[in-house]
Amino acid sequence: MQETDQSAGPWTRPADEYFFIVGRDQGLWFSEPPEWFVRRVPGARVRQYACSDYANVQEVIEKNLESRWREHAPIVLETNTVPVIAQDVAFRGGTAQVQGKFLPNGASGDRSFSRYLKQNPGVRRFRQANRFFAAAKQETDMNLPVWPFEARRIPVGIECRNRTNFYHFMTETLPLLVHHVNTEAERITFHCRNDDPSGFSDRFIRAIFPEICDRVSFTARAASYERVSIPLNFRHMIYANGDMRIQQHIENADPEWQRISAHVQRRKFILKNTYDVSLRLLRERALSMISKADLDKMPKRIWISRNNHNANVNQRPLVGEERLVARLRELGFEQMFFENMEPLEQIAAVHAAEVVGAAHGAFFGNMIFANPNAHFIEVGSVQTQFHRWGDFLGNAHASGCRYSVVFADTAQDDPSEICSIKQGLIGVRIGDRAIDLICRLAEAGQFD
């Protein structure tokens, strides 16, 4: 591995020079041919509820509720991830370039796409990118060559957004280690956009992957490899590759699946209706480490609060939480602070619980560890509906739990004002109507 200048790498190029097309461009090999690429699976049971105290906000929330989740068993896909050998690779800014082109791969692929659109503004470039991927889909399949040499000792490189955000690390990064447990590589390197750890990432790696933790390292510096093993996820291939082993699973699906493309909103739809097999494999591995005794000592109903004394926790206010918690305690809930718990304790608490509630935040990454019969209740606002809805759906799909979202109000001087995300993500205000609804959901379960 050779470290390079972090600022290197132009973001403004035509789509055909910017994006690596799997199945067309040279430089990728399967370690072993995959047995499957995507497959239909049962998803989470999802419901959304509008509960603002302000008529104008309530109207907007209701207008933007997604009817899809009230349908019977909407189609959800599990997408496979497999190690591939890549040649001439550079990691920078939390993304990977192969042969000088950005690889559409999992969450880092989404970030590469966002940077492309940001650096290439305008309708013309936007449409050119969409047409580029539509053409790629017509021209490609997934018949990559198989690496002809020994691959187990090739160093492993994994894209990583950062080590500070619990959701991004637990959902996008940590699960990828499941594909490299049996590697004999001396180095498994997470390549991050920054290197400002809060400490939880190391604790989770040591708790869930003790056999390889001493070979795992992080770097925020750009680096290049002559060859490296990368866990490649096939979600982006749904819109970028025409292989029938992928496309056959959506050919007779509902109309929403028939509109798949590289368009921003269609890629967001794919994200909401898929999950990476790595999440399920991480779930299975973590739960195998929890004993019945660990589960038996955990409460069945929990409300998760933020530790306001922890500097590593986003201190977004939750106005009305004290009144809500008082009501929930009457229903048998216990208030918990996960920042004060060890990794396996957190996992045990999530899996043992029958009902779990919390304000919108990174905690909901834990839904991958939920019991399939559990009910998770997230409390957000119109702002989280517009800009964060769907982020946790993959986590819920991986466990198959029930997932309800209550959109209440924003914790600002004038909650009737609908603020842009450019002003930052505002905390949540829970009024009496929302408290009543949350308690009803906790007691009676989901309803339409």
Side-chain angles (χ1 to χ4, degrees), residues 3 22 35 130 140 160 179 184 188 196 204 249 278 283 289 364-365 376:
E3 293 186 335
V22 177
E35 295 182 1
N130 292 339
T140 55
C160 174
H179 305 289
E184 296 178 14
I188 302 172
D196 183 21
F204 271 87
H249 294 282
S278 310
R283 165 190 169 83
M289 299 177 173
F364 285 92
F376 277 67

PDB file of all heavy atoms in Angstrom, residues 3 22 35 130 140 160 179 184 188 196 204 249 278 283 289 364-365 376:
ATOM      1  N   GLU A   3       0.848   5.405   0.296  1.00  0.00           N
ATOM      2  CA  GLU A   3       0.033   6.557   0.640  1.00  0.00           C
ATOM      3  C   GLU A   3       0.290   7.687  -0.340  1.00  0.00           C
ATOM      4  O   GLU A   3       1.408   7.899  -0.804  1.00  0.00           O
ATOM      5  CB  GLU A   3       0.320   7.010   2.070  1.00  0.00           C
ATOM      6  CG  GLU A   3      -0.137   5.973   3.092  1.00  0.00           C
ATOM      7  CD  GLU A   3       0.007   6.455   4.505  1.00  0.00           C
ATOM      8  OE1 GLU A   3       0.849   7.326   4.752  1.00  0.00           O
ATOM      9  OE2 GLU A   3      -0.733   5.956   5.374  1.00  0.00           O
ATOM     10  N   VAL A  22     -18.795  -2.102 -13.820  1.00  0.00           N
ATOM     11  CA  VAL A  22     -18.531  -3.510 -13.537  1.00  0.00           C
ATOM     12  C   VAL A  22     -19.121  -4.357 -14.665  1.00  0.00           C
ATOM     13  O   VAL A  22     -20.277  -4.186 -15.046  1.00  0.00           O
ATOM     14  CB  VAL A  22     -19.158  -3.911 -12.192  1.00  0.00           C
ATOM     15  CG1 VAL A  22     -18.961  -5.403 -11.924  1.00  0.00           C
ATOM     16  CG2 VAL A  22     -18.565  -3.077 -11.047  1.00  0.00           C
ATOM     17  N   GLU A  35     -22.612 -17.469  -6.061  1.00  0.00           N
ATOM     18  CA  GLU A  35     -23.736 -18.385  -6.276  1.00  0.00           C
ATOM     19  C   GLU A  35     -24.997 -17.625  -6.656  1.00  0.00           C
ATOM     20  O   GLU A  35     -25.898 -18.181  -7.281  1.00  0.00           O
ATOM     21  CB  GLU A  35     -23.984 -19.209  -5.013  1.00  0.00           C
ATOM     22  CG  GLU A  35     -22.823 -20.149  -4.667  1.00  0.00           C
ATOM     23  CD  GLU A  35     -23.117 -20.978  -3.435  1.00  0.00           C
ATOM     24  OE1 GLU A  35     -24.226 -20.830  -2.864  1.00  0.00           O
ATOM     25  OE2 GLU A  35     -22.248 -21.771  -3.039  1.00  0.00           O
ATOM     26  N   ASN A 130     -27.560   9.672 -16.475  1.00  0.00           N
ATOM     27  CA  ASN A 130     -28.654   8.701 -16.536  1.00  0.00           C
ATOM     28  C   ASN A 130     -28.598   7.880 -17.818  1.00  0.00           C
ATOM     29  O   ASN A 130     -28.781   6.657 -17.803  1.00  0.00           O
ATOM     30  CB  ASN A 130     -30.000   9.417 -16.421  1.00  0.00           C
ATOM     31  CG  ASN A 130     -30.222  10.024 -15.039  1.00  0.00           C
ATOM     32  OD1 ASN A 130     -29.590   9.611 -14.064  1.00  0.00           O
ATOM     33  ND2 ASN A 130     -31.106  11.000 -14.965  1.00  0.00           N
ATOM     34  N   THR A 140     -23.865  -4.920 -20.567  1.00  0.00           N
ATOM     35  CA  THR A 140     -23.010  -5.631 -19.618  1.00  0.00           C
ATOM     36  C   THR A 140     -23.705  -6.829 -18.982  1.00  0.00           C
ATOM     37  O   THR A 140     -24.927  -6.931 -18.950  1.00  0.00           O
ATOM     38  CB  THR A 140     -22.563  -4.687 -18.481  1.00  0.00           C
ATOM     39  OG1 THR A 140     -23.713  -4.104 -17.872  1.00  0.00           O
ATOM     40  CG2 THR A 140     -21.654  -3.594 -19.003  1.00  0.00           C
ATOM     41  N   CYS A 160     -14.747   3.441   4.037  1.00  0.00           N
ATOM     42  CA  CYS A 160     -15.356   3.773   5.323  1.00  0.00           C
ATOM     43  C   CYS A 160     -15.628   5.270   5.364  1.00  0.00           C
ATOM     44  O   CYS A 160     -14.723   6.067   5.107  1.00  0.00           O
ATOM     45  CB  CYS A 160     -14.411   3.368   6.456  1.00  0.00           C
ATOM     46  SG  CYS A 160     -14.935   3.856   8.113  1.00  0.00           S
ATOM     47  N   HIS A 179     -16.933 -10.935   5.397  1.00  0.00           N
ATOM     48  CA  HIS A 179     -16.434 -11.574   4.181  1.00  0.00           C
ATOM     49  C   HIS A 179     -14.926 -11.829   4.234  1.00  0.00           C
ATOM     50  O   HIS A 179     -14.372 -12.407   3.289  1.00  0.00           O
ATOM     51  CB  HIS A 179     -16.764 -10.703   2.965  1.00  0.00           C
ATOM     52  CG  HIS A 179     -18.215 -10.382   2.840  1.00  0.00           C
ATOM     53  ND1 HIS A 179     -19.157 -11.328   2.488  1.00  0.00           N
ATOM     54  CD2 HIS A 179     -18.893  -9.230   3.068  1.00  0.00           C
ATOM     55  CE1 HIS A 179     -20.356 -10.759   2.489  1.00  0.00           C
ATOM     56  NE2 HIS A 179     -20.226  -9.503   2.830  1.00  0.00           N
ATOM     57  N   GLU A 184      -6.158 -14.706   5.083  1.00  0.00           N
ATOM     58  CA  GLU A 184      -4.832 -14.803   5.672  1.00  0.00           C
ATOM     59  C   GLU A 184      -4.034 -13.532   5.439  1.00  0.00           C
ATOM     60  O   GLU A 184      -2.836 -13.472   5.722  1.00  0.00           O
ATOM     61  CB  GLU A 184      -4.091 -16.010   5.080  1.00  0.00           C
ATOM     62  CG  GLU A 184      -4.753 -17.344   5.409  1.00  0.00           C
ATOM     63  CD  GLU A 184      -4.030 -18.527   4.777  1.00  0.00           C
ATOM     64  OE1 GLU A 184      -2.885 -18.332   4.312  1.00  0.00           O
ATOM     65  OE2 GLU A 184      -4.604 -19.636   4.736  1.00  0.00           O
ATOM     66  N   ILE A 188      -5.908  -5.618   6.997  1.00  0.00           N
ATOM     67  CA  ILE A 188      -7.285  -5.293   6.630  1.00  0.00           C
ATOM     68  C   ILE A 188      -7.451  -3.823   6.973  1.00  0.00           C
ATOM     69  O   ILE A 188      -7.508  -3.452   8.144  1.00  0.00           O
ATOM     70  CB  ILE A 188      -8.311  -6.148   7.399  1.00  0.00           C
ATOM     71  CG1 ILE A 188      -8.058  -7.637   7.155  1.00  0.00           C
ATOM     72  CG2 ILE A 188      -9.737  -5.769   6.998  1.00  0.00           C
ATOM     73  CD1 ILE A 188      -8.904  -8.547   8.034  1.00  0.00           C
ATOM     74  N   ASP A 196     -11.161  10.320  13.254  1.00  0.00           N
ATOM     75  CA  ASP A 196     -11.454  10.942  14.537  1.00  0.00           C
ATOM     76  C   ASP A 196     -12.322   9.985  15.343  1.00  0.00           C
ATOM     77  O   ASP A 196     -13.517  10.188  15.505  1.00  0.00           O
ATOM     78  CB  ASP A 196     -12.171  12.275  14.307  1.00  0.00           C
ATOM     79  CG  ASP A 196     -12.439  13.003  15.615  1.00  0.00           C
ATOM     80  OD1 ASP A 196     -11.748  12.706  16.603  1.00  0.00           O
ATOM     81  OD2 ASP A 196     -13.339  13.864  15.636  1.00  0.00           O
ATOM     82  N   PHE A 204     -16.520  -2.590  18.994  1.00  0.00           N
ATOM     83  CA  PHE A 204     -17.382  -3.504  18.264  1.00  0.00           C
ATOM     84  C   PHE A 204     -16.568  -4.494  17.434  1.00  0.00           C
ATOM     85  O   PHE A 204     -16.941  -5.672  17.323  1.00  0.00           O
ATOM     86  CB  PHE A 204     -18.366  -2.733  17.381  1.00  0.00           C
ATOM     87  CG  PHE A 204     -19.640  -2.377  18.088  1.00  0.00           C
ATOM     88  CD1 PHE A 204     -19.727  -1.202  18.823  1.00  0.00           C
ATOM     89  CD2 PHE A 204     -20.738  -3.214  18.040  1.00  0.00           C
ATOM     90  CE1 PHE A 204     -20.896  -0.870  19.495  1.00  0.00           C
ATOM     91  CE2 PHE A 204     -21.912  -2.896  18.706  1.00  0.00           C
ATOM     92  CZ  PHE A 204     -21.992  -1.725  19.436  1.00  0.00           C
ATOM     93  N   HIS A 249     -35.253 -10.855 -11.274  1.00  0.00           N
ATOM     94  CA  HIS A 249     -35.929 -10.732  -9.986  1.00  0.00           C
ATOM     95  C   HIS A 249     -36.839  -9.502  -9.918  1.00  0.00           C
ATOM     96  O   HIS A 249     -37.632  -9.378  -8.981  1.00  0.00           O
ATOM     97  CB  HIS A 249     -34.902 -10.680  -8.859  1.00  0.00           C
ATOM     98  CG  HIS A 249     -34.139 -11.964  -8.716  1.00  0.00           C
ATOM     99  ND1 HIS A 249     -34.670 -13.074  -8.091  1.00  0.00           N
ATOM    100  CD2 HIS A 249     -32.896 -12.327  -9.152  1.00  0.00           C
ATOM    101  CE1 HIS A 249     -33.775 -14.060  -8.126  1.00  0.00           C
ATOM    102  NE2 HIS A 249     -32.705 -13.632  -8.761  1.00  0.00           N
ATOM    103  N   SER A 278     -24.470  -8.614   3.913  1.00  0.00           N
ATOM    104  CA  SER A 278     -23.513  -8.416   5.006  1.00  0.00           C
ATOM    105  C   SER A 278     -24.215  -8.070   6.307  1.00  0.00           C
ATOM    106  O   SER A 278     -23.752  -8.455   7.394  1.00  0.00           O
ATOM    107  CB  SER A 278     -22.522  -7.307   4.647  1.00  0.00           C
ATOM    108  OG  SER A 278     -21.959  -7.501   3.372  1.00  0.00           O
ATOM    109  N   ARG A 283     -25.536  -9.852  11.668  1.00  0.00           N
ATOM    110  CA  ARG A 283     -26.576 -10.151  12.661  1.00  0.00           C
ATOM    111  C   ARG A 283     -26.407 -11.576  13.193  1.00  0.00           C
ATOM    112  O   ARG A 283     -26.381 -11.791  14.422  1.00  0.00           O
ATOM    113  CB  ARG A 283     -27.948  -9.992  12.007  1.00  0.00           C
ATOM    114  CG  ARG A 283     -29.108 -10.605  12.773  1.00  0.00           C
ATOM    115  CD  ARG A 283     -30.373 -10.612  11.917  1.00  0.00           C
ATOM    116  NE  ARG A 283     -31.430 -11.413  12.523  1.00  0.00           N
ATOM    117  CZ  ARG A 283     -32.260 -10.975  13.459  1.00  0.00           C
ATOM    118  NH1 ARG A 283     -32.159  -9.745  13.897  1.00  0.00           N
ATOM    119  NH2 ARG A 283     -33.194 -11.779  13.953  1.00  0.00           N
ATOM    120  N   MET A 289     -23.105 -14.887  19.647  1.00  0.00           N
ATOM    121  CA  MET A 289     -22.239 -14.609  20.784  1.00  0.00           C
ATOM    122  C   MET A 289     -23.013 -14.234  22.043  1.00  0.00           C
ATOM    123  O   MET A 289     -22.422 -14.018  23.097  1.00  0.00           O
ATOM    124  CB  MET A 289     -21.272 -13.478  20.428  1.00  0.00           C
ATOM    125  CG  MET A 289     -20.355 -13.807  19.261  1.00  0.00           C
ATOM    126  SD  MET A 289     -19.287 -12.423  18.829  1.00  0.00           S
ATOM    127  CE  MET A 289     -18.224 -13.201  17.597  1.00  0.00           C
ATOM    128  N   PHE A 364     -30.977   3.569  15.435  1.00  0.00           N
ATOM    129  CA  PHE A 364     -31.799   2.645  14.659  1.00  0.00           C
ATOM    130  C   PHE A 364     -30.975   1.756  13.728  1.00  0.00           C
ATOM    131  O   PHE A 364     -31.511   0.828  13.132  1.00  0.00           O
ATOM    132  CB  PHE A 364     -32.886   3.410  13.900  1.00  0.00           C
ATOM    133  CG  PHE A 364     -33.991   3.849  14.808  1.00  0.00           C
ATOM    134  CD1 PHE A 364     -33.958   5.101  15.402  1.00  0.00           C
ATOM    135  CD2 PHE A 364     -35.033   2.999  15.123  1.00  0.00           C
ATOM    136  CE1 PHE A 364     -34.950   5.504  16.278  1.00  0.00           C
ATOM    137  CE2 PHE A 364     -36.039   3.382  16.000  1.00  0.00           C
ATOM    138  CZ  PHE A 364     -35.996   4.638  16.585  1.00  0.00           C
ATOM    139  N   GLY A 365     -29.682   2.000  13.638  1.00  0.00           N
ATOM    140  CA  GLY A 365     -28.814   1.025  12.988  1.00  0.00           C
ATOM    141  C   GLY A 365     -28.863  -0.316  13.687  1.00  0.00           C
ATOM    142  O   GLY A 365     -28.613  -1.367  13.083  1.00  0.00           O
ATOM    143  N   PHE A 376     -40.200  -1.602  16.546  1.00  0.00           N
ATOM    144  CA  PHE A 376     -39.364  -0.419  16.752  1.00  0.00           C
ATOM    145  C   PHE A 376     -40.164   0.817  16.360  1.00  0.00           C
ATOM    146  O   PHE A 376     -40.762   0.866  15.281  1.00  0.00           O
ATOM    147  CB  PHE A 376     -38.092  -0.512  15.909  1.00  0.00           C
ATOM    148  CG  PHE A 376     -37.005  -1.322  16.554  1.00  0.00           C
ATOM    149  CD1 PHE A 376     -37.157  -2.691  16.734  1.00  0.00           C
ATOM    150  CD2 PHE A 376     -35.833  -0.728  16.989  1.00  0.00           C
ATOM    151  CE1 PHE A 376     -36.169  -3.446  17.336  1.00  0.00           C
ATOM    152  CE2 PHE A 376     -34.838  -1.472  17.599  1.00  0.00           C
ATOM    153  CZ  PHE A 376     -35.004  -2.834  17.768  1.00  0.00           C
TER     154      PHE A 376
END
